[in-house]
Amino acid sequence: MKRLILMRHAKSDWKTGQEDHDRPLNARGRRAATVLGDWLRQNGQLPDAVLSSSAMRTRETLDRLEIKAQATFDPTLYLADSSVLETVLKRATGERVLMLGHNPGIGDFAAELMERPVDHPRFQAYPTGATLIADFDIDHWRDLHLGTGRLVDFIVPRDLTD
């Protein structure tokens, strides 16, 4: 059994004038990432490996999650489409993998992974901080097939702060 935690980076700051890759989180995004990390810990959902885009906003999201797992910052995950995300995940070695990325690829990938549609009003939009947790009945990530994920949980930061 493998578990995937598929997370879109927290809200970034468009006002900095930075190039897209170098945009940091804004104040709301920093708060949301901290809350998401607390939620993962409280629910026993900490990963043992992290696959993340190399962008500043994914790095900062991970930092705010306060996860002690081994992280790989892969430049191919920056604005990656779902097929790239699948390829990278199939090379993973952890039992519980957190994958941090960007829309639209991460939201598309989430939908393609699941055996059933996720019943949450924000799933299709996959807003910043959206987090899907899904189980796969496989021994190795290389054996992953789309449409086989079983929902464990799906949340967005607003679910945790309202």
Side-chain angles (χ1 to χ4, degrees), residues 30-47:
R30 290 190 296 274
R31 286 189 305 274
T34 298
V35 168
L36 287 166
D38 291 344
W39 178 80
L40 289 171
R41 273 185 293 291
Q42 289 165 3
N43 289 284
Q45 298 296 348
L46 292 175

Side-chain angles (χ1 to χ4, degrees), residues 3-159:
R3 179 161 286 178
L4 176 63
I5 304 163
L6 192 64
M7 182 182 290
R8 183 177 174 199
H9 63 81
K11 188 102 176 126
S12 63
D13 191 344
W14 287 90
K15 298 176 186 173
T16 65
Q18 299 282 355
E19 293 292 322
D20 185 72
H21 187 272
D22 299 325
R23 263 190 298 119
L25 297 181
N26 65 17
R28 186 172 122 203
R30 290 190 296 274
R31 286 189 305 274
T34 298
V35 168
L36 287 166
D38 291 344
W39 178 80
L40 289 171
R41 273 185 293 291
Q42 289 165 3
N43 289 284
Q45 298 296 348
L46 292 175
D48 56 22
V50 177
L51 300 171
S52 177
S53 160
S54 58
M56 176 61 73
R57 57 194 179 272
T58 53
R59 288 175 178 270
E60 193 175 351
T61 298
L62 180 59
D63 186 52
R64 294 278 178 166
L65 293 174
E66 295 185 6
I67 291 172
K68 304 296 184 221
Q70 176 67 38
T72 301
F73 297 98
D74 188 335
T76 64
L77 293 177
Y78 173 62
L79 303 180
D81 67 20
S82 59
S83 66
V84 171
L85 294 167
E86 179 184 5
T87 298
V88 171
L89 181 58
K90 284 185 172 187
R91 295 191 304 251
T93 57
E95 296 299 311
R96 283 185 178 200
V97 174
L98 167 64
M99 184 173 256
L100 258 168
H102 311 268
N103 252 0
I106 200 116
D108 293 344
F109 190 43
E112 292 169 9
L113 284 169
M114 302 309 293
E115 66 182 3
R116 291 187 180 91
V118 174
D119 184 20
H120 188 285
R122 300 293 290 149
F123 183 77
Q124 293 302 317
Y126 223 85
T128 54
T131 304
L132 170 76
I133 302 177
D135 283 342
F136 298 87
D137 191 17
I138 54 176
D139 292 325
H140 306 281
W141 285 110
R142 67 178 175 264
D143 299 327
L144 177 75
H145 292 284
L146 299 177
T148 61
R150 287 187 316 278
L151 180 67
V152 174
D153 213 337
F154 177 78
I155 57 125
V156 297
R158 199 159 278 181
D159 294 339

